[in-house]
Structure formats: C-alpha cells, structure tokens
Amino acid sequence: MLIVAGLGNPGSKYTGNRHNIGFMAVDAIQQRQGFSSWSKKFKAEIAEGEIGGERILLIKPQTFMNLSGEAVGEAMRFYKLAPKDIVVIYDELDLPAGKARIKTGGGHGGHNGIKSIDAHCGKEYRRLRLGIGHPGVKDLVHAHVLGDFAKADQTWLSALLDTIADNAGMLVKGEDSQLMNKIALATGGKPDTEEPQAKKRVAAQSHIHQARNAAQPKKLPTTGPMAEMLKKMFGPKGD
C-alpha cells in the first residue's frame, strides 16, 4: 500500500492558492484514476483506489499546512507503513513555476508542512516538489504562496496537473525520471536525456583513439631531403 499525500490548507478561501498545489495534484489523480469519493478520516480527507495493481490512499490533511504531519503520521501508523511507503506532493518556492523534482529524503527547505511530516513520519519518504516560482523578495513570499495562481499560470498549471494524473502509475512504480520527462515535455521544458553519459562515452572513445594513434609507428617520408638522408643511412648498401 502507498500513501500519496497532497499538502495544502482546508477551506474555500485557500482553494486556488499556490500553497495548495499539492491538494490540486491529488484531486486530479482522484478524478482521473477513478478513486472513491473523498471521505473524512485521520484528520484528513481521504480517497481510496488502485493504480497498477497497487492499493493507494490519497490524503489531504485538514489540519492546516503547519500540522500536516499529524494526519499523514496517523494514517501511516494505522496501516503499519514505513516512510518509504509515502509520497508527499507540495509547492516549492525555489523551483521555477511549472518545474518539478522528485527525491527521497532531504531537508524541509523552510516548508512548514514538510517540517511537520518529518517530525511525525521520519524523513525517508518520497517528495514530489512542484515549482510555484519565487516572488524575488523575501518580504513578498507570504503573499505569494497564499495568493491564487494568476490566469497566465493556468496553461502550465493544467498541463502539470493533467500529466501527473495521467502518469500516476509512474509515480507509484518509482519511475521518477520518466515522470519528470513527461512533465518537462508537457510544460514546455526540455526532458532529461542521456546526454551526459553519451558525452562520457564519446570522450572515452576519443582517448582510446588517441592512445591507438600514439601506439602506431609514424610513417616515414618518401620524398624530399629527409627521405634522401634516410635512404643513405638505412637503405641497401651498393657494391
């Protein structure tokens, strides 16, 4: 079983906030993947379903962001799961809008929801960070995260959420690089490629080629003053 938790704040006044992109992502999965209706349990709204043969519990903590770990931790303990059985989806100020990154473990980066989950669940869970951009000035951060997405954001936001929902199977199976490529293509970015490895292979082949060339004897000149001198030195002796 896997818990997929989206972070946000409960209540209609927060629905469109950038801080609620985690809620938006699990809402999209619930709708696209045919999950049950939302019900209340574990201080949260939950929906149950199955993706790729894996039982999934979607969870939206209703404790407000700063206490998100209370809900996720309660669900984790109820089902006797470990941190590795949890995926948390949340907003990331330090990523450009529409970008996504996923990793296991790490620091909370000042995100109070993640700080709470670390305290209640441990740190070794998977984290899908969805970029909301930074306002550029620290004093504007609070208003930025608790502000609604602008109309201009809707194109990339819809593409991002649709891609996560359509490819939730990749999230469940741990096919993280494939999911990141799908998101990058959908939101107008460049997918990750094998280019660094390819460059290493080319470089290695180049070094081998150079070594082979160095090992081969150099051709001797057949014309000119140097050729004449070599003939006299090493050519066949006359009678």
Side-chain angles (χ1 to χ4, degrees):
M1 183 177 182
L2 190 70
I3 293 175
V4 179
L7 303 192
N9 286 310
S12 58
K13 66 180 286 189
Y14 300 106
T15 300
N17 285 184
R18 294 179 181 88
H19 217 23
N20 273 39
I21 197 170
F23 275 12
M24 297 174 193
V26 292
D27 277 334
I29 294 171
Q30 183 260 350
Q31 294 165 13
R32 194 67 51 88
Q33 296 292 336
F35 274 59
S36 68
S37 299
W38 293 103
S39 59
K40 294 184 183 297
K41 193 175 184 178
F42 309 124
K43 301 179 184 175
E45 289 186 356
I46 65 169
E48 298 179 82
E50 189 175 293
I51 300 175
E54 182 88 13
R55 186 183 174 197
I56 308 297
L57 179 75
L58 300 178
I59 181 168
K60 295 189 294 183
Q62 300 295 292
T63 51
F64 285 92
M65 183 68 81
N66 294 5
L67 300 176
S68 297
E70 292 183 6
V72 179
E74 190 173 327
M76 183 185 80
R77 288 185 291 275
F78 180 86
Y79 290 107
K80 297 180 172 61
L81 301 176
K84 65 180 179 62
D85 303 312
I86 299 171
V87 178
V88 180
I89 307 176
Y90 62 100
D91 59 300
E92 176 57 79
L93 272 169
D94 293 330
L95 281 177
K99 301 296 181 184
R101 293 290 184 272
I102 189 166
K103 66 176 182 177
T104 298
H108 55 72
H111 193 290
N112 288 329
I114 296 301
K115 193 182 297 185
S116 177
I117 294 176
D118 286 353
H120 287 270
C121 304
K123 296 183 178 182
E124 294 305 306
Y125 55 88
R126 288 167 66 215
R127 304 151 191 244
L128 176 54
R129 298 177 294 146
L130 305 180
I132 60 169
H134 196 289
V137 180
K138 187 177 180 180
D139 290 345
L140 298 179
V141 165
H142 183 76
H144 180 71
V145 298
L146 292 180
D148 287 355
F149 283 106
K151 286 185 179 180
D153 295 324
Q154 297 307 314
T155 300
W156 66 258
L157 179 61
S158 294
L160 174 66
L161 298 176
D162 286 346
T163 303
I164 292 170
D166 288 340
N167 298 282
M170 292 181 176
L171 186 65
V172 170
K173 294 175 185 176
E175 297 173 349
D176 296 343
S177 60
Q178 293 94 320
L179 179 59
M180 293 301 98
N181 284 346
K182 292 277 190 182
I183 291 173
L185 288 169
T187 55
K190 293 182 179 180
D192 293 332
T193 67
E194 297 300 315
E195 186 177 356
Q197 287 81 359
K199 286 181 178 179
K200 288 179 183 178
R201 287 195 295 270
V202 170
Q205 290 169 356
S206 177
H207 291 317
I208 292 169
H209 185 67
Q210 291 173 11
R212 284 176 177 168
N213 286 344
Q216 293 175 355
K218 295 185 182 296
K219 292 182 178 180
L220 298 176
T222 57
T223 60
M226 180 62 73
E228 292 300 321
M229 184 179 73
L230 291 171
K231 282 181 182 178
K232 290 178 181 180
M233 293 175 63
F234 303 108
K237 302 294 183 181
D239 294 335

